[in-house]
Amino acid sequence: MSAVTTIVATVAAAAGAVALVRFAERRTRPLRQAINEVKKSAAKSNGAVIEYEQDPESGVFRPVRR
C-alpha cells in the first residue's frame, strides 16, 4: 500500500469507530437515564427498611410490626 492509501484507511477506520461509539451511546442513553433516575430516587428515600420475619406456624414471611 502507498502512504496515501494508508492515511485514507486510517481516517476511514477512525471515522467508523467514532460512528460506532455514537451509535452505541444513542442506543444506551434511555437505559442509562432510567438507571440514574432509580439511583436518585433511592438516594432521596428516608432509609426506611421493611423487615420480615418467618411465621413459625405457616412458614410465611410477614412484615415485622414494631
Side-chain angles (χ1 to χ4, degrees):
M1 279 204 275
S2 69
V4 173
T5 307
T6 304
I7 291 172
V8 170
T10 304
V11 169
V18 168
L20 181 64
V21 168
R22 287 183 179 174
F23 174 77
E25 194 275 330
R26 268 187 276 124
R27 296 285 294 193
T28 60
R29 185 179 302 148
L31 177 62
R32 284 187 286 113
Q33 287 175 345
I35 291 171
N36 287 337
E37 288 179 22
V38 168
K39 286 181 181 179
K40 286 179 185 176
S41 67
K44 291 180 183 177
S45 69
N46 61 2
V49 176
I50 300 173
E51 293 184 35
Y52 288 88
E53 64 183 4
Q54 190 173 13
D55 183 13
E57 293 177 10
S58 66
V60 176
F61 285 90
R62 300 188 193 279
V64 176
R65 301 190 195 277
R66 294 185 185 199

